[in-house]
Structures are given as structure tokens and as C-alpha cells.
Amino acid sequence: KCPADKIESRNSTVISAGTPGTDAQLNPPRQRVSVRPHDSLKTEFTFKSITDYPVDIYFLVDQSYTMRDDLETVSRLTKDIAKSFSAVTKDLRMGFGAFVDKPVFPFIVPTPEAQINPCLYGVGDKDLQCDPPFLYKHILSLTDDFAKFAEKTILSRPSGNLDSPEGGLDALLQVAHCTD
């Protein structure tokens, strides 16, 4: 007869489950499993919604000229967004950042005048004062001051660039890396 620790299990099993937490939404919070090739394993999880679980929303907005109306929409809907989330949590914070594109040719017009106001050169309305082009800028940290959030979004001016692909992926990486 072989000792039990010398026998290789041929069954898929849950090796260990994390300790259930009292304030966890998902229990167990983690599981370690061993699944044999071409086998399946059923495991049990429980989910419970926690009252007033903190929710942080960071709006990353394309601030190129063609998307200028989206900023107005976000600003206009701030109260509605906050009200919708009030059914889920009283701990809501919103932040705001923007991107356009890499501020180098061929993504923008490289002249000094166009870098000051890209709307002068066929990017938008020549009478509009646009912000200089930028890749990403953090405008407002997470806050529960929704009036300030609405103000910052409505006061943000568009910028301009030359090509359709925007710097969104670069900006997303900046947001993920930024701790503020």
C-alpha cells in the first residue's frame, strides 16, 4: 500500500480558498485550483452588494476639436450621473483628464502659430481659441465636489490635431500609472 502523500491525484480540485472577509463583495476572495487537462471544475462563489461601497469614476475625454460637444455633454450630465450613483453608494468621486495627440509632426501642424492655437489651421473654427496640442493632461483629481467637476469640464477648451488616430492609448497608460 502506497502512502497518501505519494499518490498523484487524478482529479481536478480546489487546492485552497482565501479566508472570507466580512466586508468582501466576493467570497472567497481568491481560490487556487488544480485542473487537469481537458477536465472541468465547478466551484462556488457568493457575491453580495455592499452598501456605500466607494466608487471612483475618472473621465478621460478626447479633447480634440471634433469632440468638443462631448465635454459639454459630460458637464451637463454631471448631476444626473451623481444622482444615478446615489442609489448604489454615497461614496462617489469623479475626476477628469483629457488627451489629444502627440504634439509632434505628423500628428499636429508643426508651425509655432499652430502650436499656440491649432484651430487657426484648418482643424476647427478659426474664430475659436483652442488650447495648444498635448498628449495627456490631468485636469481634476477624484473629488466629491460635483459642481467643481462640472465647472472644470465646461471650462476646458478643445485643441487640434491632423490625423484621426488620437493619443487615447498613451493617455490611458498615463491614467493607469498616475497615483493622483
Side-chain angles (χ1 to χ4, degrees):
K1 182 175 177 179
C2 291
D5 65 334
K6 300 292 182 188
I7 298 174
E8 183 179 329
S9 173
R10 296 196 172 268
N11 300 323
S12 296
T13 59
V14 174
I15 297 170
S16 67
T19 308
T22 56
D23 63 344
Q25 286 186 296
L26 186 64
N27 274 313
R30 67 179 58 90
Q31 285 191 345
R32 187 168 163 231
V33 297
S34 174
V35 182
R36 308 270 313 163
H38 308 292
D39 196 5
S40 63
L41 176 69
K42 288 186 180 181
T43 182
E44 298 280 325
F45 289 96
T46 57
F47 175 83
K48 79 174 180 183
S49 181
I50 296 175
T51 307
D52 292 332
Y53 198 77
V55 175
D56 294 337
I57 303 173
Y58 190 83
F59 288 83
L60 181 60
V61 180
D62 180 347
Q63 206 164 340
S64 58
Y65 179 81
T66 55
M67 303 299 283
R68 68 193 178 285
D69 56 337
D70 289 354
L71 282 173
E72 295 166 10
T73 302
V74 169
S75 182
R76 188 172 24 86
L77 294 177
T78 299
K79 286 181 183 174
D80 293 338
I81 293 167
K83 184 179 178 184
S84 296
F85 273 93
S86 69
V88 178
T89 184
K90 290 183 178 82
D91 192 1
L92 173 66
R93 298 184 308 165
M94 294 193 300
F96 172 55
F99 68 91
V100 179
D101 213 339
K102 293 177 178 75
V104 295
F105 185 76
F107 307 108
I108 62 164
V109 178
T111 65
E113 299 86 12
Q115 290 190 22
I116 293 169
N117 183 5
C119 289
L120 294 174
Y121 293 89
V123 175
D125 182 351
K126 290 183 182 190
D127 295 329
L128 179 67
Q129 176 63 42
C130 288
D131 278 350
F134 57 90
L135 179 57
Y136 164 74
K137 65 180 168 183
H138 172 70
I139 298 169
L140 180 66
S141 295
L142 294 169
T143 180
D144 58 3
D145 184 346
F146 305 129
K148 185 176 183 180
F149 176 87
E151 176 189 341
K152 288 287 189 180
T153 54
I154 200 67
L155 291 177
S156 293
R157 295 187 308 190
S159 185
N161 62 332
L162 289 175
D163 63 338
S164 294
E166 312 294 351
L169 183 58
D170 294 303
L172 238 115
L173 291 170
Q174 290 285 338
V175 170
H177 181 73
C178 187
T179 57
D180 189 16

